[in-house]
Amino acid sequence: MLRKIVKYGDPVLETVCDPVPESEFGTPELRSLVQDMFETMYRAQGIGLAAPQIGIPRRLTVIDCSGGEGEREQHVLINPEIVFEDGSQVGEEGCLSIPGFRENVKRPATVRTRARTPDGERIEIEAEELLARAICHENDHLNGVLFLDHLSRLKRQIIRRKIRNLRKRGEWD
Ligand code: NI
């Protein structure tokens, strides 16, 4: 089922999300939420989506850097923790909750992340390049942090002003 992606300005995007509780692992509800998130992400042509972006303040993200084209490479990270990061990379980033805006953001070159699967299994993945960037971006969402927060104050103000104008014209819902 497609979910509505909330846009910048909704307070849920600036909320520190709660962990998925132990009792929800392995449940059909959690599995169908994950399915909905992938479906919603692919439809929007994104490579990552965090639960707060569909209005659910839980520590759950889905990522597929293939964008649903060719061979899929699905990652589900529940209650993730970045346990190691190294180096740096600068690259263009966007966000499904801030459509139409892309900016260069500095991220670690390599990250190692511990997380749980929908069945509650503990996993650890090491990622670099685009996947490392996506993991950092999605993990930020769980802490109420957006890519705008990594920009200079000036750039952030310019984007905020543009979004305010879009909202006034009813083009930001
Ligand atoms: Ni995002």
Side-chain angles (χ1 to χ4, degrees), residues 47 54 72 132 145:
I47 61 167
I54 55 165
R72 292 191 171 180
V145 174

Side-chain angles (χ1 to χ4, degrees), residues 82-88 107-113 127 132 136 139:
I82 295 177
V83 293
F84 173 81
E85 43 180 78
D86 190 36
S88 72
R107 299 286 189 185
T110 309
V111 294
R112 198 181 308 139
T113 311
C136 292
N139 191 62

Side-chain angles (χ1 to χ4, degrees), residues 6-140:
V6 301
K7 290 209 177 127
Y8 179 71
D10 189 311
V12 73
L13 292 174
E14 287 165 81
T15 299
V16 177
C17 299
D18 291 323
V20 171
E22 214 52 51
S23 60
E24 288 183 15
F25 289 107
T27 61
E29 289 76 17
L30 185 58
R31 256 183 235 122
S32 82
L33 173 59
V34 168
Q35 280 320 105
D36 287 355
M37 286 176 65
F38 274 117
E39 194 183 333
T40 303
M41 181 190 82
Y42 290 132
R43 177 65 66 91
Q45 295 185 304
I47 61 167
L49 188 70
Q53 292 183 276
I54 55 165
I56 300 174
R58 282 285 166 87
R59 305 189 80 81
L60 163 55
T61 78
V62 300
I63 295 171
D64 183 348
C65 290
S66 76
E69 304 210 344
E71 209 165 307
R72 292 191 171 180
E73 214 195 300
Q74 296 186 331
H75 298 278
V76 181
L77 301 176
I78 302 177
N79 301 344
E81 263 182 279
I82 295 177
V83 293
F84 173 81
E85 43 180 78
D86 190 36
S88 72
Q89 56 167 323
V90 175
E92 221 182 46
E93 227 167 272
C95 179
L96 294 178
S97 295
I98 315 173
F101 296 92
R102 297 185 67 83
E103 292 290 339
N104 278 332
V105 178
K106 187 176 172 189
R107 299 286 189 185
T110 309
V111 294
R112 198 181 308 139
T113 311
R114 287 195 192 128
R116 309 284 293 276
T117 68
D119 287 324
E121 194 191 330
R122 288 171 203 279
I123 51 166
E124 184 167 305
I125 61 170
E126 185 156 311
E128 51 187 16
E129 299 179 359
L130 185 58
L131 183 56
R133 172 175 301 284
I135 289 173
C136 292
H137 178 113
E138 298 313 325
N139 191 62
D140 270 358

Side-chain angles (χ1 to χ4, degrees), residues 161-173:
R161 195 174 310 131
K162 285 181 179 167
I163 291 173
R164 257 202 308 278
N165 289 332
L166 287 169
R167 194 180 288 124
K168 273 186 208 148
R169 299 204 300 266
E171 292 167 21
W172 192 264
D173 281 311

